[in-house]
Amino acid sequence: MVSAAGASWPGRPVALALAAISQPVASMPQSHHPYDALTPDVVIDSVESVGLWSDARIFPLNSYENRVYQVGIEGAEPLIAKFYRPGRWTDAQILEEHAFAHELVAAEIPVVAPLAFDGQTLMEHQGFRFALFPRRGGRQVELDNFDHLEQVGTMLGRIHAVGAARAFEHRPALTLQHFAIDSRDFILEGDFLPPENRSAYESVTAHIIEQIAPLFDQPWRQLRLHGDCHAGNFLWRDDTPWFVDLDDCLTGPAIQDIWMLISGSRDEQTAYLDTVIEGYETFTPFDPRELQLVEPLRCLRQMHHAAWLARRWQDPAFPMAFPWFNTPRFWAEHILALREQQAALREPPLTLGAV
C-alpha cells in the first residue's frame, strides 16, 4: 500500500513514519520485527548487489506494508527500491505481479513496472526480497476533475481489457471470506477491542456479513485487477494518469477498481461514475449490475483496513504512523462507521445516467 501523493513515485517521503526502520524509539515497546535488520547499509548493499553503484543517498518513502526507498545512483537518476514484507507474498505471487505490470507496459499502458537485471525482476539480499523501479515524478490525480476521471476510466478500461486476457494463477481473489470474515475473526480473537465495544462490533459485523453474503455468491465476471485503485496510487504526469503499486493486484469484478474513484453526495457519485464509465467503455464493456457491489465493497474495505492495522501493530512503523489506532475512540468511531454502512446497504444501488 504505497501512496503516490508526492513529487516522485511511489510517494511523498514521510521520514517520521519510517524512522523505526533503522533505529529504536525509546517510547515504543521494543520488538524483533524482520524489518529491524533492514539497515541503510543493507539497503545500499542490496541495490549494489545487482551491479549498480549507489551514491549512498537514501530517502525513505511512505510505504507501510513494504519498505520503499529512493536510492541515489552514481551517474544516473535515482531508483526506487521496494523491499517486500517478509512472509506476505510467495515468490510466485510477486513474480506474477511483476509479469502483469510488464504485460500492461507492453500494451502501452502507463504503469511503473519493475526493472529487470539479468532477466530477473525479483532479487534477494541478506534475507530480503526486493525490486527496483524507475523514479517517476508527478502529482496526485484530482478525482473531482472530470477530465482526470475520464482519463482514469479510459486507462482502467485498457487495464481490464488486458486483465481479461488470462487469469492469475497465484495472486489472491477478492472474497468475502478473506476481506470480511477473516478480518472480523482476527479482531475478535485478538486483544484489540475494549470490553465495552466488543458486543457492538460483534453484532454489527455479523449483520453486515449476513446482509452482503448473497451478493458475493453471485457469479460475477472475474478479471485481473489493480486491486487498490485509490487516488494515492496514481500519478498525473504528461497529462496522463500513471498507475503505480500493483502490490495488491488480485482477481475480482471490475467494480473493485472503480468504486474508490467516486465520492460525495449521491448525485455527485453518479456524475463521477458516469464520467469514469464513459472513458472505461471506450475499451471494454462494463456490467452495470456490478454497481450493487459498491457499498458491500466499502464495508469490506473498512473491516479489512482495521484488521490490517491490527495485524501489523507489532511493526514499529505502524504505532508511529497510526497512533490513533487501537484506542477506545477509534473503535467507537469504527463501529459507528460500520453502522452507517449497514444503513447504506439498505439504499438502492447507484445507477448510470441518473443525473
Side-chain angles (χ1 to χ4, degrees):
M1 296 186 180
V2 177
S3 171
S8 62
W9 184 84
R12 179 187 302 122
V14 183
L16 173 64
L18 296 180
I21 60 179
S22 58
Q23 59 184 354
V25 180
S27 61
M28 187 183 299
Q30 297 301 300
S31 72
H32 298 286
H33 192 272
Y35 279 134
D36 293 345
L38 187 60
T39 63
D41 284 343
V42 172
V43 172
I44 292 173
D45 289 347
S46 297
V47 171
E48 293 187 342
S49 72
V50 302
L52 300 172
W53 186 252
S54 171
D55 63 12
R57 291 180 297 170
I58 314 173
F59 207 52
L61 305 177
N62 65 334
S63 171
Y64 305 113
E65 185 65 5
N66 305 295
R67 293 292 188 267
V68 182
Y69 305 88
Q70 177 178 292
V71 180
I73 303 298
E74 287 285 356
E77 286 291 313
L79 294 178
I80 305 302
K82 175 181 178 179
F83 291 82
Y84 286 88
R85 177 171 291 272
R88 186 187 183 207
W89 300 124
T90 65
D91 287 358
Q93 288 172 321
I94 296 173
L95 289 171
E96 197 163 46
E97 169 208 332
H98 292 182
F100 186 38
H102 281 281
E103 192 176 344
L104 295 173
V105 170
E108 300 183 344
I109 297 171
V111 171
V112 182
L115 301 170
F117 296 86
D118 294 328
Q120 302 297 316
T121 56
L122 180 62
M123 285 74 70
E124 186 274 335
H125 187 73
Q126 294 193 23
F128 290 102
R129 295 173 299 170
F130 70 98
L132 298 175
F133 297 78
R135 185 180 67 167
R136 291 287 182 266
R139 59 188 175 91
Q140 187 166 327
V141 170
E142 301 168 12
L143 295 184
D144 57 353
N145 181 315
F146 287 97
D147 289 337
H148 284 201
L149 274 176
E150 185 173 355
Q151 290 197 54
V152 169
T154 299
M155 291 303 171
L156 277 176
R158 294 178 63 192
I159 288 173
H160 288 184
V162 173
R166 60 179 58 86
F168 280 138
E169 294 182 18
H170 305 288
R171 299 296 301 183
L174 193 160
T175 65
L176 181 70
Q177 180 67 45
H178 175 67
F179 283 87
I181 298 172
D182 291 350
S183 296
R184 177 180 187 267
D185 290 347
F186 187 84
I187 294 299
L188 290 173
E189 292 167 6
D191 186 23
F192 298 104
L193 286 163
E196 63 270 22
N197 296 125
R198 183 178 180 86
S199 177
Y201 176 86
E202 195 167 10
S203 174
V204 70
T205 52
H207 285 129
I208 285 174
I209 290 170
E210 181 181 14
Q211 194 168 350
I212 65 179
L215 282 171
F216 286 93
D217 287 336
Q218 295 186 29
W220 304 107
R221 184 188 185 210
Q222 300 293 299
L223 308 171
R224 292 179 296 170
L225 306 174
H226 180 287
D228 195 26
C229 268
H230 58 77
N233 279 336
F234 306 111
L235 286 175
W236 191 259
R237 174 186 172 89
D238 301 326
D239 292 324
T240 299
W242 281 71
F243 288 72
V244 301
D245 190 18
L246 289 171
D247 197 60
D248 291 295
C249 64
L250 47 64
T251 298
I255 191 63
Q256 168 63 12
D257 276 352
I258 295 171
W259 75 266
M260 278 182 275
L261 303 175
I262 59 177
S263 61
S265 68
R266 187 178 181 87
D267 285 349
E268 289 171 329
Q269 289 185 58
T270 301
Y272 293 151
L273 178 65
D274 285 346
T275 303
V276 171
I277 299 303
E278 182 178 355
Y280 183 93
E281 290 197 312
T282 305
F283 287 92
T284 193
F286 174 73
D287 182 355
R289 293 174 300 173
E290 292 187 14
L291 294 175
Q292 300 172 73
L293 293 171
V294 170
E295 295 306 330
L297 287 171
R298 202 185 311 275
C299 293
L300 263 60
R301 188 169 181 85
Q302 289 181 358
M303 293 176 66
H304 185 259
H305 185 259
W308 173 67
L309 292 173
R311 289 186 174 102
R312 301 293 184 251
W313 203 237
Q314 296 307 310
D315 180 338
F318 276 69
M320 295 182 70
F322 308 99
W324 38 261
F325 175 71
N326 209 27
T327 62
R329 179 176 178 178
F330 167 81
W331 289 112
E333 292 178 350
H334 180 57
I335 290 166
L336 177 60
L338 290 174
R339 284 174 171 160
E340 291 173 347
Q341 272 306 114
Q342 192 176 9
L345 291 172
R346 293 191 286 269
E347 297 292 324
L350 293 173
T351 56
L352 293 172
V355 174

